[in-house]
Amino acid sequence: MKIILISFFLGVIFLSSCDYNNEKDLYPSQLANCDTTNVTFNGTIIYILATNCFSCHDHQYADLFGDAVHLESYADVKSRLGKLSNAINHTGGVSSMPKNAAKLKACDLKKFEVWIRNDTPEE
Ligand code: HEC
């Protein structure tokens, strides 16, 4: 009987410890601390691209990979905005990016969304 009671309580503790651990619960808090004021290409977007995309999409490597998708300059990115947005949001029509990796962080996706909504300011 004791063993059953103990395992029951351990079970309850184990299950309740998972409560705040799933993505659904973490997602809003990630966005709550997400600063989307003043999102610009040179101040924000370029850093997200550098961290997550340049390994395959700067001029040096893009040609080696054979994809020839350059994302280093404002003009490069502007000319691919529609595809880029579908690629990072995994909304179809193009390969999901970053290729073979997890989606960008919720906050980074939000910054892209705000940047595009504000007409893609450069500075
Ligand atoms: C590991 C390498 C790799 C990384 C990292 C990567 N890409 Fe790609 N990307 C590719 C390859 C290779 C292609 C060519 C299409 C394919 O093979 O899926 C591509 C294609 C694209 C395309 C063109 C899609 C089309 O169908 O025209 C866009 C836009 C793109 N990537 C954006 C991004 C963005 C934005 C990031 C960062 C968030 C990123 N990529 C990260 C390898 C990568």
Side-chain angles (χ1 to χ4, degrees):
M1 187 62 190
K2 252 188 197 156
I3 299 232
I4 294 176
L5 268 180
I6 290 172
S7 30
F8 174 75
F9 283 117
L10 283 179
V12 170
I13 291 168
F14 176 72
L15 285 179
S16 54
S17 69
C18 295
D19 252 13
Y20 296 99
N21 238 348
N22 63 49
E23 205 181 347
K24 245 198 210 148
D25 290 328
L26 291 173
Y27 205 70
S29 59
Q30 261 188 32
L31 286 180
N33 297 323
C34 184
D35 182 4
T36 55
T37 49
N38 244 336
V39 176
T40 63
F41 184 78
N42 288 334
T44 319
I45 299 298
I46 190 86
Y47 297 108
I48 301 175
L49 293 172
T51 309
N52 300 285
C53 318
F54 279 10
S55 55
C56 303
H57 289 293
D58 73 353
H59 274 73
Q60 200 177 352
Y61 292 102
D63 303 329
L64 284 179
F65 263 91
D67 63 41
V69 177
H70 304 145
L71 297 176
E72 295 158 287
S73 75
Y74 182 67
D76 288 339
V77 172
K78 281 279 282 187
S79 71
R80 299 178 192 280
L81 214 50
K83 282 183 172 175
L84 186 146
S85 178
N86 281 328
I88 59 174
N89 288 298
H90 299 187
T91 38
V94 293
S95 308
S96 296
M97 293 290 144
K99 197 171 173 70
N100 302 330
K103 236 181 176 181
L104 293 182
K105 283 184 270 175
C107 181
D108 288 343
L109 288 173
K110 186 79 194 168
K111 285 176 180 170
F112 262 101
E113 185 192 317
V114 168
W115 181 62
I116 292 171
R117 200 189 315 136
N118 290 344
D119 261 342
T120 63
E122 186 170 6
E123 304 286 343

